[in-house]
Amino acid sequence: MELKHLTGFVAVAEELHFGRAAERLHIAQSPLSQQIKLLERDLGVKLFDRTTRTVRLTPAGQALVEPARRLLADASAVRRTVRAAHLGEVGRVTVGFAGASSYSALPLLTRAVTSQLPGIELVLVGQTYTGEALRRVADGSLDVGFLALPVRRGITARVVRMEHLMLALPDSHRLAAYPEVPVRELAGEPVVTFPLSRESAVREAMVQACHDAGFAPRIAQEAPDSYTMLALVGAGVGVAVVVESARDINLEHVVFRPLVGEEVPVLPIALGWRTGNSSAALQAVLRVAEEVLPTPPGVGV
């Protein structure tokens, strides 16, 4: 039983499902019809009942549809795996991530790698903020990481997202009535943010923006991740400066407003890897990343 005959059978069965197969099956000498006849001869059963007006699957044909689909899918996976091995696209790639930016981007990358590079295993390392990611990429304990610019010497980076800063606040907060919130309005407000030890680029940007506006932020509590931070905001512990991607995290009683002012930067979020890392698996993952996480227009890095 040849796969190309199964391919023809499945194609006709699917077209028949949508009412489009009868005309094709009546072309007796067509390659597709010949494939089906050869498959029927090989199996020793009739797969279709044909009349001058109708075509329908026999019970044997109905029983074959799902196994044939699975067999073709398995054959396709085998081809991809063999091709990956031939190209060196096998192995393990460790990916560091943290924060809402990577929460949004990471699923796009992992799904694409799973689909296109079946020979590569992605090892995901969470709560790896920019400072730690830079160190671990440099020392080789991470292959690639989501991080904020700038990067240190010896690391190559490509921007995959530009993040505007937002203010997350309880829906009952006075600033929730503002369409956008100037940085100066944060003076005196209790703020929830990432721990200083995490070396978060978002925390650094928030602190710098407040200092540029003439005050120091009042840190009320620290949170290890974006979900916990927003939960604390919803509980009324304080407000939080977050990236725009955090709006994808839906929690009750939390609203988001753009943070504005000359002091407010736009954060470039990048994928960073050690310059000169020639791992075929890493290079394959980076190629896939360029497809699903392209550099935003107008960004040069």
Side-chain angles (χ1 to χ4, degrees):
M1 181 170 55
E2 295 189 27
L3 286 177
K4 65 180 180 180
H5 298 161
L6 278 180
T7 301
F9 165 74
V10 170
V12 172
E14 290 180 348
E15 291 200 7
L16 185 60
H17 178 73
F18 292 102
R20 297 194 297 264
E23 187 173 306
R24 295 184 70 181
L25 277 176
H26 286 151
I27 306 175
Q29 299 306 317
S30 71
L32 183 60
S33 181
Q34 292 302 311
Q35 287 179 13
I36 292 170
K37 287 180 179 178
L38 290 171
L39 181 60
E40 289 178 324
R41 184 183 306 166
D42 187 34
L43 294 174
V45 297
K46 193 174 182 181
L47 299 173
F48 294 94
D49 281 328
R50 308 166 178 84
T51 70
T52 56
R53 293 191 175 185
T54 64
V55 177
R56 63 183 180 183
L57 285 164
T58 64
Q62 293 173 0
L64 179 61
V65 173
E66 285 306 317
R69 284 175 177 156
R70 289 195 297 269
L71 184 58
L72 291 173
D74 290 344
S76 179
V78 168
R79 289 191 189 98
R80 292 196 304 270
T81 301
V82 172
R83 177 181 177 277
H86 175 68
L87 297 175
E89 295 172 351
V90 294
R92 174 180 294 185
V93 174
T94 53
V95 182
F97 69 97
S101 293
S102 55
Y103 295 161
S104 299
L106 189 62
L108 298 175
L109 178 61
T110 55
R111 284 198 294 264
V113 170
T114 299
S115 173
Q116 298 182 39
L117 303 171
I120 291 179
E121 176 191 2
L122 288 184
V123 179
L124 307 180
V125 183
Q127 295 194 9
T128 309
Y129 292 85
T130 292
E132 182 182 0
L134 287 170
R135 287 193 298 274
R136 295 192 61 181
V137 168
D139 69 21
S141 59
L142 279 180
D143 292 306
V144 63
F146 286 89
L147 43 83
L149 298 184
V151 297
R152 63 179 64 181
R153 186 173 181 178
I155 293 178
T156 301
R158 181 179 65 81
V159 175
V160 297
R161 190 182 294 266
M162 297 297 292
E163 289 281 12
H164 294 272
L165 293 183
M166 308 285 291
L167 186 67
L169 61 162
D171 55 10
S172 59
H173 196 284
R174 65 178 182 85
L175 295 177
Y178 287 44
E180 54 187 28
V181 180
V183 174
R184 63 178 180 273
E185 292 290 340
L186 299 186
E189 289 286 341
V191 175
V192 181
T193 189
F194 297 111
L196 180 61
S197 61
R198 293 288 188 184
E199 300 180 77
S200 161
V202 176
R203 174 174 174 144
E204 291 180 4
M206 180 271 295
V207 171
Q208 187 62 54
C210 291
H211 284 167
D212 290 346
F215 67 94
R218 181 161 73 89
I219 308 299
Q221 191 163 332
E222 295 179 333
D225 54 64
S226 298
Y227 288 95
T228 304
M229 184 186 301
L230 293 179
L232 292 172
V233 169
V237 174
V239 302
V241 175
V242 298
V243 293
E244 190 172 7
S245 292
R247 293 194 296 185
D248 294 336
I249 304 173
N250 296 314
L251 291 178
E252 290 186 7
H253 309 302
V254 178
V255 297
F256 299 88
R257 298 291 182 266
L259 193 64
V260 296
E262 293 182 359
E263 310 89 351
V264 181
V266 177
L267 294 183
I269 305 301
L271 281 174
W273 60 95
R274 183 166 49 84
T275 303
N277 187 339
S278 59
S279 161
L282 172 62
Q283 297 305 317
V285 168
L286 293 176
R287 287 195 296 273
V288 170
E290 284 197 59
E291 298 175 12
V292 297
L293 298 172
T295 300
V299 177
V301 179

